[in-house]
């Protein structure tokens, strides 16, 4: 196997709050190869966003206790100086977040934000440069958009501005954290198609953080399923989504309303709720909600077992 | 008799210095008792304005809305109050739609008391019954909204609305803020309430698969108009309007995506 672009081993992220230690991320190991499309799926609070943030020590993970290993092209990122990290953050690894409105400065025209890092360049040149890169992300009338304030653009347009900023430095990895959750489905499709196309053209790797299994199914190659701070299952999308091995993955798939299911297909919910990060259960984290759990599951924390490109953290793994 | 009938309903917002905005433009539909209607469309299509109009919160600029054969604009105070009880709304932001300074018990009690739904000594009994309908354990009664999950808060919203024995529940994106596993639970709850209590459901959503799960009928809304209406399976499996097709194509559906990739 070729050397991975990004490798995370046994990542653990802890915070202290009110004298208590919270461990929102307990154990995450993952790999992204050159040009690969990888997704992390999970529900709110599973630690997927923190995992993504911790790669380049973005807030709030800069305030956390982070253990484990994060390797970028073999170079460890944990423990290197901010100065060193700066060379990677935004240049080799870029981010796009969920809410473009919150990510853009509302009182700054678009061209000034896009060219904030350019120095010694006059205004006309900045506007021209912005219009150029906005045109590449398919914004109609890029000149107008460059001069606009964020509020004058629609959500989809704002997200394209964010993407143009993220891609300006030709990163090798784009981390997209729920990039289209705030957008309408038709806009969502346009933005994702754009992201796909740009990744293809540049051979850029994608790490998509999402709760939406539909996006994973249609666009990604490999998937990591996260639950309560751990990877519970991983593998090629085509295998994980068609023959899930972990009961949580199965549960998620059975809970999704489908467009072509028989009309009387009951939706299966997963009983109970996600445990809180200051009190993970002792044994398997999913055991309290799992239909197959027995005493062994409740007492003994399962390890991630690997085989044939797939991993699963389950004692039962009956599937 | 028709429970609710919308006949060429229009709502126009007038903003000084701008052209009038036709948010809802000539929308017609009718609901029989026990019906379930899904209204789907993207942001800005007018679906929430339509919801406000149905609730009687937004004056119409054209057309009529009739409840049991009577124009709701003609209701006197007493009738208007009665109408507001018979039609209840559920919102997207479950936590935000509950009073943060009231426990679940206080929220439900207030509702029952203000509308004099049961005799004061029956309130406790009725509250237990309501919790039972929505599948919440009795121990949540002392909780404040912030102490509960989004799914639990949404159940409390349902309990609060059922407290008034409504005929119509108008749910505006009731599950879009919830996680998939919790979403399934709320959708199953809506189905069950429909089956057990025969309540009429109007579900406003951008999610076609959700509407397909719950609603027998669907109307697709675009730029203030219903562009396609009919039986849900018919419309979603054999869409006729280009916009419906466009919308369906954009949905990232697990089953369809896997099949498209030959898996």
């Amino acid at each position: 196997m070729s050397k991975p672009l990004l490798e995370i081993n046994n990542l653990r992220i802890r915070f202290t709050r009110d004298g208590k230690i919270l461990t929102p991320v307990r154990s995450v190991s993952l790999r992204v190869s050159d040009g690969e499309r990888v997704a992390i799926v999970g529900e709110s609070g599973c630690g997927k966003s923190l995992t993504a943030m911790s790669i380049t020590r973005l807030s709030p993970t800069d305030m956390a206790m982070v253990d484990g290993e994060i390797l970028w092209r073999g170079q460890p990122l944990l423990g290197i100086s901010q100065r060193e990290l700066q060379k990677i953050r935004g240049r080799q690894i870029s981010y796009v977040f969920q809410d473009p409105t919150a990510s853009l400065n509302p009182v700054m025209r678009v061209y000034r934000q896009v060219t904030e890092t350019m120095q010694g360049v006059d205004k006309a040149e900045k506007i021209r440069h912005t219009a150029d890169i906005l045109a590449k992300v398919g914004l109609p009338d890029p000149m107008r958009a460059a001069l606009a304030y964020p509020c004058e653009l629609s959500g989809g347009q704002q997200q394209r501005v964010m993407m143009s900023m993220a891609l300006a430095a030709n990163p090798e990895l784009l981390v997209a954290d729920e990039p289209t959750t705030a957008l309408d489905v038709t806009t969502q499709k346009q933005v994702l198609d754009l992201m796909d196309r740009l990744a293809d053209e540049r051979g850029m790797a994608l790490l998509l953080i999402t709760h939406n299994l539909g996006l994973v199914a249609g666009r990604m190659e490999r998937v990591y399923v996260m639950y309560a701070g751990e990877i519970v299952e991983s593998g090629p999308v085509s295998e994980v989504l068609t023959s899930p091995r972990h009961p949580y993955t199965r549960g998620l798939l059975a809970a999704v309303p489908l467009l072509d299911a028989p009309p009387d297909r009951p939706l299966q919910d997963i009983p109970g709720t996600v445990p809180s990060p200051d009190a993970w259960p002792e044994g398997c984290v999913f055991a309290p909600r799992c239909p197959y759990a027995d005493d062994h599951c409740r007492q003994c924390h399962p390890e991630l077992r690997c085989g044939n490109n797939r991993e699963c953290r389950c004692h039962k793994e009956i599937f | 008799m028709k429970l609710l009938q919308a006949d060429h309903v229009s709502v126009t917002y007038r903003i000084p210095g701008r052209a009038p905005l036709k948010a809802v433009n000539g929308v017609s539909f009718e609901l029989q008792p026990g019906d379930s209607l899904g209204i789907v469309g993207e942001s800005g299509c007018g679906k929430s304005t339509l919801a406000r109009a149905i609730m009687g919160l937004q004056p119409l600029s054209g057309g009529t809305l009739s409840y049991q054969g009577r124009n709701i604009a003609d209701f006197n105070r007493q009738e208007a109050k009665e109408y507001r009880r018979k039609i209840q709304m559920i919102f997207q932001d479950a936590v935000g739609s509950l009073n943060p300074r009231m426990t679940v018990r206080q929220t439900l009690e207030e509702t029952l008391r203000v509308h004099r739904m049961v005799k004061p000594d029956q309130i406790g009994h009725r509250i237990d019954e309501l919790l039972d309908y929505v599948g919440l354990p009795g121990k949540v009664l002392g909780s404040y909204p912030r102490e509960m999950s989004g799914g639990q808060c949404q159940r409390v919203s349902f309990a609060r609305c059922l407290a008034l024995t409504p005929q119509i529940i108008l749910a505006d994106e009731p599950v879009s803020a919830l996680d998939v596993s919790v979403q399934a639970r709320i959708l199953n709850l809506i189905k069950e309430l429909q089956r057990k209590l025969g309540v009429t459901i109007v579900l406003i959503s951008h999610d076609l698969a959700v509407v397909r799960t719950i609603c027998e009928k669907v109307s697709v809304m675009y730029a203030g108009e219903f562009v396609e209406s009919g039986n849900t399976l018919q419309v979603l499996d054999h869409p006729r309007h280009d916009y419906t097709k466009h919308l369906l194509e954009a949905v990232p559906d697990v089953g369809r995506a896997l099949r498209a990739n030959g898996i």
Side-chain angles (χ1 to χ4, degrees):
Chain A
M1 205 185 343
S2 65
K3 199 166 178 195
L5 190 63
L6 174 73
E7 192 176 349
I8 297 180
N9 293 318
N10 303 316
L11 180 74
R12 183 171 67 164
I13 302 176
R14 286 176 299 166
F15 290 92
T16 40
R17 197 175 64 194
D18 303 335
K20 266 197 277 189
I21 291 188
L22 309 183
T23 317
V25 175
R26 293 219 295 179
S27 168
V28 170
S29 300
L30 60 82
R31 272 175 301 106
V32 181
S33 302
D34 266 320
E36 199 184 17
R37 288 161 197 228
V38 177
I40 304 180
V41 289
E43 298 184 285
S44 32
C46 72
K48 56 190 191 299
S49 291
L50 280 177
T51 301
M53 305 283 219
S54 71
I55 300 170
T56 61
R57 222 182 291 164
L58 296 183
S59 171
T61 56
D62 55 339
M63 304 299 290
M65 295 170 275
V66 182
D67 314 302
E69 199 176 35
I70 299 175
L71 300 174
W72 174 247
R73 295 204 169 288
Q75 176 200 356
L77 296 187
L78 282 181
I80 67 169
S81 67
Q82 283 291 352
R83 213 187 161 81
E84 289 293 307
L85 204 54
Q86 207 71 51
K87 293 182 188 152
I88 292 167
R89 189 195 286 148
R91 300 186 192 197
Q92 299 174 26
I93 304 175
S94 276
Y95 288 81
V96 177
F97 298 103
Q98 173 170 355
D99 187 356
T101 324
S103 307
L104 290 166
N105 184 336
V107 293
M108 214 183 205
R109 289 183 196 271
V110 166
Y111 80 87
R112 283 189 54 209
Q113 315 198 29
V114 172
T115 56
E116 220 178 348
T117 52
M118 294 170 70
Q119 284 173 357
V121 182
D122 68 2
K123 183 174 163 184
E125 172 62 24
K126 285 181 175 174
I127 296 173
R128 205 188 50 74
H129 176 78
T130 306
D132 257 10
I133 66 170
L134 290 184
K136 282 187 194 141
V137 295
L139 260 185
D141 204 351
M143 204 44 130
R144 189 190 71 84
L147 289 168
Y149 285 99
C151 66
E152 297 172 286
L153 304 174
S154 71
Q157 289 171 331
Q158 290 179 4
Q159 198 56 298
R160 282 177 215 219
V161 171
M162 289 308 299
M163 208 170 284
S164 75
M165 290 166 75
L167 299 181
N170 266 323
E172 291 160 82
L173 173 68
L174 179 68
V175 182
D177 189 351
E178 302 274 14
T180 56
T181 310
L183 306 177
D184 274 326
V185 273
T186 50
T187 321
Q188 174 179 52
K189 182 165 187 291
Q190 290 165 5
V191 170
L192 291 170
D193 285 349
L194 171 74
M195 196 171 83
D196 269 355
R197 186 171 58 81
L198 295 173
D200 258 352
E201 286 171 7
R202 297 157 185 240
M204 178 178 70
L206 283 177
L207 181 61
L208 177 74
I209 317 294
T210 184
H211 68 285
N212 188 330
L213 289 165
L215 295 185
V216 177
R219 298 174 187 270
M220 295 288 131
E221 293 161 1
R222 263 183 333 108
V223 60
Y224 291 89
V225 182
M226 268 188 89
Y227 179 77
E230 298 181 332
I231 303 280
V232 294
E233 179 164 7
S234 77
V237 168
S238 55
E239 293 176 29
V240 172
L241 296 190
T242 50
S243 56
R245 288 187 184 157
H246 197 282
Y248 177 64
T249 318
R250 274 172 71 101
L252 270 187
L253 281 163
V256 181
L258 294 177
L259 271 180
D260 48 6
D264 47 1
R265 165 183 179 257
L267 291 179
Q268 271 155 28
D269 63 317
I270 304 174
T273 49
V274 182
S276 139
D278 58 355
W280 298 129
E282 196 169 318
C284 168
V285 274
F286 190 59
R289 306 176 71 187
C290 177
Y292 309 100
D294 58 20
D295 285 344
H296 181 56
C297 298
R298 280 182 280 270
Q299 280 152 17
C300 180
H301 185 248
E303 291 302 313
L304 205 54
R305 280 191 285 184
C306 322
N308 287 332
N309 292 326
R310 293 191 60 175
E311 296 169 310
C312 182
R313 191 188 288 280
C314 180
H315 290 306
K316 300 283 179 186
E317 205 182 316
I318 19 187
F319 312 107
Chain B
M1 196 187 349
K2 285 161 201 149
L3 191 58
L4 190 75
Q5 187 173 21
D7 191 19
H8 295 91
V9 166
S10 298
V11 176
T12 306
Y13 292 119
R14 293 184 193 283
I15 307 150
R18 287 205 207 166
L21 177 75
K22 283 195 165 181
V24 177
N25 192 5
V27 164
S28 302
F29 63 89
E30 52 180 67
L31 291 173
Q32 309 283 355
D35 271 357
S36 47
L37 170 68
I39 299 174
V40 294
E42 297 186 280
S43 30
C45 75
K47 52 193 199 298
S48 292
T49 300
L50 179 61
R52 289 173 55 82
I54 295 172
M55 296 298 294
L57 298 170
Q58 178 69 50
L60 307 186
S61 56
T64 53
L65 262 170
S66 326
Y67 173 71
Q68 294 185 330
R70 292 207 47 209
N71 189 339
I72 67 166
D74 299 337
F75 283 165
N76 63 29
R77 264 180 84 111
Q78 189 55 42
E79 287 171 317
K81 189 179 173 196
E82 186 63 12
Y83 178 66
R84 285 200 297 268
R85 183 176 75 70
K86 292 283 189 197
I87 179 158
Q88 286 297 316
M89 197 156 174
I90 298 280
F91 300 92
Q92 173 171 0
D93 181 359
V95 186
S97 62
L98 297 174
N99 186 333
R101 304 191 56 170
M102 278 187 173
T103 62
V104 174
R105 184 192 300 281
Q106 288 167 332
T107 296
L108 296 177
E109 252 177 29
E110 185 191 45
T111 311
L112 291 168
R113 202 164 274 145
V114 167
H115 283 267
R116 304 212 170 93
M117 294 307 296
V118 290
K119 293 204 183 93
D121 60 334
Q122 292 292 305
I123 285 180
H125 177 66
R126 180 65 179 151
I127 287 179
D128 291 343
E129 207 172 64
L130 289 169
L131 287 188
D132 197 43
Y133 276 141
V134 298
L136 280 175
K139 64 169 195 251
V140 303
L141 281 174
S143 308
Y144 289 94
R146 61 166 186 276
E147 298 166 342
M148 297 184 293
S149 67
Q152 282 177 320
C153 285
Q154 199 58 296
R155 279 158 192 268
V156 174
S157 297
F158 270 98
R160 181 178 58 179
C161 114
L162 291 173
L164 301 174
T165 57
Q167 280 178 317
I168 303 173
I169 295 179
L170 179 60
D172 190 354
E173 302 275 9
V175 294
S176 37
L178 304 175
D179 273 324
V180 201
S181 67
V182 184
Q183 168 180 317
R185 220 177 300 166
I186 297 290
L187 293 176
N188 285 335
L189 170 69
I190 299 178
K191 271 183 165 175
E192 198 184 296
L193 294 176
Q194 217 178 343
R195 205 180 54 234
K196 268 207 272 194
L197 307 173
V199 58
T200 303
I201 304 277
V202 180
L203 182 79
I204 294 179
S205 179
H206 69 282
D207 189 328
L208 294 162
V210 163
V211 166
R212 194 178 187 276
T213 311
I214 296 290
C215 303
E216 270 163 53
K217 294 195 290 183
V218 66
S219 290
V220 182
M221 201 165 176
Y222 181 71
E225 297 177 19
F226 279 1
V227 294
E228 184 165 1
S229 296
N231 174 287
T232 306
L233 296 183
Q234 200 81 43
V235 170
L236 297 188
D237 295 351
H238 308 283
R240 286 158 98 172
H241 196 281
D242 280 345
Y243 178 68
T244 316
K245 289 180 193 165
H246 183 57
L247 203 56
L248 277 162
E249 267 167 32
V251 177
D253 186 69
V254 183
R256 225 174 36 183
L258 288 176
R259 224 163 315 117
N261 290 353
I263 300 162

